[in-house]
């Protein structure tokens, strides 16, 4: 049965694009953090939507599960196959159209995010989705996980940037919803069902995305703040004055800043003196006035006492250096030992309260633990990370991950937040969902899954549990496997 | 059976809130344009979500259909009941919370749109959704139809303004998805399934909505243009320079302007001279510079020849007078006789081409017909209306509606547009969908309907056809009924 399926696929896709060799499969069986290792019959590399549809139909007829892969940069184990085939979208990498007047770009799922940004830029427009892995993640994966990143404050998540989709359904049918319309109420909203469904309801093969006018000027500043509360007040004041021109408000407390200054080659302290909290602020303007605008606002904030000190980047190089500090936080944290991570969100108005409560609870739970939170403060989205106590044993620390999950997620839940803010559910948070999610919502999700994928062949066991699917957490190999990664 | 259901409902809701008298039912059986007249066993007026859930559960057990009503201002027959009960959400009219820092407002479905705007305004914030019926439509209906209006260009449709929902499902269960999060990827996106589903998948009882900072200044101008093409070029130039500060770009050709000047009491010609096309432009700024910003941009447009002439409103009263011209178009058109209407959208880049092609085709189809299109040009959304030839018989003209549907909708479809842009499908466009919609999309819609409303009890026969449901178009009573309305 399997041999016949592989032969059928090889005949259509070409033998060179049906990989079965262990070496070829390897990169598709693990994920970035090394938390899971799966297995697959084959990795398919179709070249277009018709080939994806053919492959999915053939697999559906053989009742063989299918896991879609973009850049395989996900952080929740959502792309790890446990049997079945992997369909890599990497060869569907054409930019089909760019229309500046329409402010849209039509791309195939395998386009690397940075190349989508570049194509928009070449047309004089901005595709604002931006995240650390943009050089290797692919837009299909960004859409399948409803990616967030640093530009959500002004431009929204991947969802808000999506106007239309082309999707291969579980039975191999193709839904062509590639429409570039700002207003369309001709029936149920199908596209938002697939965006963020992590490959469990359909496989996105192409999309029409929204572009924005390129700002005429940008300004970047680094703020010293007395506390998370002060950061929230400063954020509120800036947003009230700047409206949609406030395009980033990233939060960095003292400890993560010290970590990155200690370990990042060439890093320079951005602000003299020592502050409990910092924020990286960016203003974008359609006029050439971003610098003077931000300078004026910072002056007001310092005068009113909301901000203790601030520095404005005086060149693109200085701005890039500030962003490099922010973007290196996750990687540099690894130099301090084991790291336990939570990607959570709360209502923006409660983000300071969340930071206080979660910090206190984690420090009480493990003396010496170094709370290392940072992130997209203006979206209420904090990467609430914990660095091991100095001198602790890394594996033993990482074994405490489930205990800290309970502490942090309980607080998030009590504050009407989300335990899966921008990285998705995948495998790692799948079994946390039934604990925190409204049972009616879970029931609706199961009904939708049943309606769109009745045989449970699309990325089985991700987001929702499935019979025979792998254990979610602790991962295969437990703490030992987890300790092998920079996490 | 029916008597027992009514008794059960009266016992819980109170007899005063289970209306069965013909006089009380009447306003709930017809819709604004008088195209349809339905029938209902009763109109229920629950006071809170628990009572809505009770009523829906009782009806579900008795297999009695349920049609939800907000302000009953819809334009596509979506709220007309054909048997079963009407559940009016009018008594669920509390603003549950406003949080300026979080930039959210939590409202019940029965809040009148204008009162949501007012509550936001009182908190120093902006709820941007704005449309002609805002004094009587209710927010639950706005969400159920994914309402558009004049502020979509910068702020999006009702969908983009929705963060969370509370929904009563077909079996009476309540999904509490009232979350105020900017980032939440904890499972499938349920809220977008209900937004725009016109009461056929669930009944929205409350919502968390996004607020925006109130602009510090606004400027309004009226532009004279050589053609629809010139309007498109001017729009592109303005958006490139103004970005999100361009908050409206409404299109009015010569004929609709002449109609409104002829019939609207107190209307004053906004611009000397005669132009083939006009546009109403609004700029909103977080700084107090909107006037000088718009004046500078208009100067550039006139100098470059894109705009023939322009006038800037010099006071709030002048701005209001310009908006009054725009907002009276639909009503004033009725003074010229019968009107056949199409609410359609195309990609923004093709809106001028659409206007040219559709105008030519309609004029060729009926000598003397007066094409009267206007609308949300910057969203690609045109109300492509036709006014009867001078001296024609109104009923005979309106009887041509299906023929003009075919002409206009065929052109829209060929241009990758939508035949239902902002008013929805309801009953009037239901049987047009199978002609124009991707069959795979229709199949997906039916599967979703089956999964969420397996007995077909929620607003049956709307959006999707249902066994035993009423004929869609021509409406009951045919042209005679239609001629009774200002349409």
């Amino acid at each position: 049965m399997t041999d016949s399926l592989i032969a059928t696929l090889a005949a259509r896709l070409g033998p060179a694009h049906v990989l079965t060799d262990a070496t070829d499969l390897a990169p598709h069986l693990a994920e970035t953090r090394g938390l899971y290792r799966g297995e697959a019959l084959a990795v398919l590399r179709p070249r277009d939507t018709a080939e994806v549809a053919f492959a999915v139909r053939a697999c559906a007829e053989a009742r063989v599960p299918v896991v879609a892969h973009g850049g395989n940069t996900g952080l929740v184990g959502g792309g790890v196959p446990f049997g079945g085939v992997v369909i890599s979208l990497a060869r569907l990498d054409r930019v089909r159209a760019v229309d500046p007047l329409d402010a849209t770009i039509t791309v195939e799922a395998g386009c690397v995010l940075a190349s989508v940004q570049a194509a928009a830029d070449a047309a004089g427009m901005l595709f604002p989705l931006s995240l650390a892995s943009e050089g290797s993640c692919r837009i299909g994966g960004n859409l399948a996980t409803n990616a967030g990143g640093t530009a959500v404050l002004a431009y929204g998540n991947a969802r808000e940037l999506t106007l239309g989709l082309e999707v291969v359904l579980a039975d191999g049918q193709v839904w062509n919803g590639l429409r570039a319309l700002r207003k369309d109420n001709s029936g149920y909203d199908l596209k938002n069902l697939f965006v963020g469904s992590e490959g469990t309801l359909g496989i996105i093969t192409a999309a029409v995305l929204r572009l924005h006018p390129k700002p005429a000027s940008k300004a970047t500043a680094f703020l010293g703040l007395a506390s998370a509360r002060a950061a929230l007040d400063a954020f509120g004041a800036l947003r009230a004055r700047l409206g949609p021109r406030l395009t980033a408000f990233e939060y960095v407390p003292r400890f993560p800043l010290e970590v990155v200054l200690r370990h990042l080659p060439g890093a320079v302290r951005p602000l003299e003196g020592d502050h409990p909290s910092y924020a990286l602020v960016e203003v974008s303007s359609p006029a050439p006035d971003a610098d003077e605008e931000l300078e004026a606002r910072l002056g007001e904030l310092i005068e009113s006492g909301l901000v203790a000190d601030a520095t404005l980047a005086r060149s693109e190089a200085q701005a890039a250096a500030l962003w490099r500090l922010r973007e290196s936080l996750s990687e540099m944290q690894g130099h301090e030992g084991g790291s336990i991570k939570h990607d959570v969100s709360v209502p923006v108005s409660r983000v300071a309260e969340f930071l206080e409560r979660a910090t206190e609870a984690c420090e009480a739970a493990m003396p010496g633990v170094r709370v290392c939170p940072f992130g997209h403060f203006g979206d209420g989205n904090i990467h609430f990370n914990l660095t091991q106590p100095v001198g602790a044993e890394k594996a033993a620390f990482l074994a405490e991950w489930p205990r800290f999950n309970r502490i942090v997620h309980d607080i998030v839940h009590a504050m009407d937040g989300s335990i899966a803010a921008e990285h998705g559910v995948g495998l790692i948070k799948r079994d946390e969902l039934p604990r925190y999610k409204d049972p009616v919502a879970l029931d609706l999700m199961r009904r939708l899954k049943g309606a769109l994928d009745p045989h449970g062949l699309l990325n089985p066991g991700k987001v929702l549990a499935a019979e025979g699917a792998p254990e979610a957490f602790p991962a295969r190999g437990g703490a030992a496997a987890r300790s092998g990664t920079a996490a």
Side-chain angles (χ1 to χ4, degrees), chain A:
Chain A
M1 181 67 183
T2 297
D3 286 352
S4 128
L5 173 64
I6 299 295
T8 303
L9 294 167
R12 172 71 190 258
L13 276 58
H17 297 298
V18 179
L19 312 177
T20 53
D21 186 82
T23 318
D24 295 332
L25 295 187
H28 293 274
L29 305 182
E31 41 70 73
T32 317
R33 291 184 184 165
L35 295 176
Y36 304 97
R37 176 161 294 278
E39 55 195 28
L41 299 171
V43 172
L44 315 180
R45 293 169 43 83
R47 66 172 178 166
D48 58 23
T49 304
E51 286 194 358
V52 176
F54 178 89
V56 172
R57 185 177 301 112
C59 290
E61 284 166 3
R63 296 287 189 270
V64 166
V66 164
V67 179
H69 268 198
N72 197 22
T73 57
L75 297 170
V76 291
V80 184
F82 294 93
V85 305
V86 169
I87 297 188
S88 164
L89 281 300
R91 290 175 71 213
L92 281 80
D93 63 351
R94 286 159 286 248
V95 174
R96 292 191 190 166
V98 190
D99 190 325
L101 185 52
D102 207 31
T104 58
I105 186 168
T106 306
V107 296
E108 295 182 346
C111 288
V112 169
L113 173 54
S115 71
V116 179
Q117 296 166 344
D121 189 69
M125 301 291 286
L126 172 72
F127 181 64
L129 189 69
S130 177
L131 38 108
S133 61
E134 62 197 27
S136 51
C137 64
R138 294 176 190 267
I139 192 69
N142 298 140
L143 299 176
T145 58
N146 184 26
T150 54
V152 173
L153 187 58
Y155 302 103
N157 294 284
R159 182 182 304 290
E160 283 79 42
L161 299 170
T162 307
L163 286 177
L165 289 182
E166 179 187 81
V167 179
V168 173
L169 304 178
D171 60 2
Q173 284 193 92
V174 180
W175 169 52
N176 183 344
L178 286 177
R179 304 229 274 180
L181 302 174
R182 307 286 160 166
K183 286 185 177 174
D184 179 16
N185 279 324
S186 64
Y188 303 154
D189 178 15
L190 301 175
K191 70 171 192 282
N192 279 306
L193 202 51
F194 296 106
V195 173
S197 69
E198 306 186 30
T200 66
L201 298 180
I203 298 177
I204 296 168
T205 49
V208 181
L209 304 171
R210 288 184 70 156
L211 301 178
H212 286 265
K214 219 190 278 193
S217 62
K218 276 175 149 190
T220 309
F222 205 79
L223 281 51
L225 297 148
S227 64
R229 299 261 165 189
L232 188 57
D233 290 342
F235 168 72
L238 282 171
R239 199 194 42 200
R241 288 300 296 272
L242 293 165
R245 287 183 291 177
L246 180 63
T247 44
F249 193 101
E250 297 285 313
Y251 179 69
V252 189
R254 179 191 283 134
F255 177 65
L257 181 67
E258 295 303 328
V259 167
V260 76
L261 290 174
R262 195 176 301 153
H263 298 289
L264 181 67
V268 174
R269 182 175 298 277
L271 207 57
E272 284 310 306
D274 177 50
H275 301 274
S277 297
Y278 301 88
L280 179 62
V281 171
E282 184 188 80
V283 168
S284 304
S285 173
D289 62 353
D291 266 342
E292 56 189 277
E293 180 70 40
L294 181 51
E295 190 157 24
R297 298 293 81 77
L298 292 179
E300 292 166 2
L301 288 177
I302 290 173
E303 196 161 328
S304 68
L306 287 182
V307 168
D309 197 4
T311 180
L312 190 68
R314 291 294 173 190
S315 66
E316 280 194 29
Q318 282 184 14
L322 291 176
W323 274 107
R324 181 165 168 259
L325 292 178
R326 164 65 190 86
E327 282 166 357
S328 304
L329 286 172
S330 191
E331 192 187 340
M332 292 306 115
Q333 209 196 332
H335 291 282
E336 295 284 325
S339 174
I340 292 174
K341 309 203 165 190
H342 306 92
D343 167 45
V344 300
S345 65
V346 293
V348 179
S349 62
R350 304 188 73 178
V351 66
E353 180 193 349
F354 163 73
L355 283 162
E356 291 167 2
R357 282 173 63 177
T359 299
E360 191 179 2
C362 290
E363 288 176 348
M366 182 185 284
V369 74
R370 292 173 294 168
V371 177
C372 189
F374 56 87
H376 318 299
F377 195 90
D379 309 318
N381 173 203
I382 299 294
H383 299 303
F384 195 82
N385 296 352
L386 304 168
T387 294
Q388 65 172 60
V390 174
E393 209 260 306
K394 183 174 174 180
F397 175 69
L398 291 175
E400 301 287 336
W401 200 316
R403 183 162 71 99
F404 280 110
N405 263 356
R406 195 59 55 244
I407 293 169
V408 174
H409 291 171
D410 277 357
I411 293 170
V412 166
H413 183 65
M415 296 177 73
D416 291 325
S418 171
I419 63 161
E422 64 171 5
H423 297 164
V425 175
L427 197 48
I428 202 171
K429 290 183 178 173
R430 184 194 72 195
D431 294 347
E432 292 284 282
L433 275 200
R435 177 181 288 267
Y436 296 110
K437 193 117 183 150
D438 178 9
V440 177
L442 268 176
D443 176 53
L444 282 171
M445 286 170 58
R446 286 191 202 100
R447 282 196 254 172
L448 295 173
K449 174 74 172 172
L452 268 61
D453 180 21
H455 301 296
L457 297 175
L458 294 178
N459 207 4
K462 311 300 166 51
V463 185
L464 291 169
E467 224 176 308
E471 197 187 349
F473 198 88
R476 287 191 171 197
R482 289 200 299 280
S483 70
T485 166

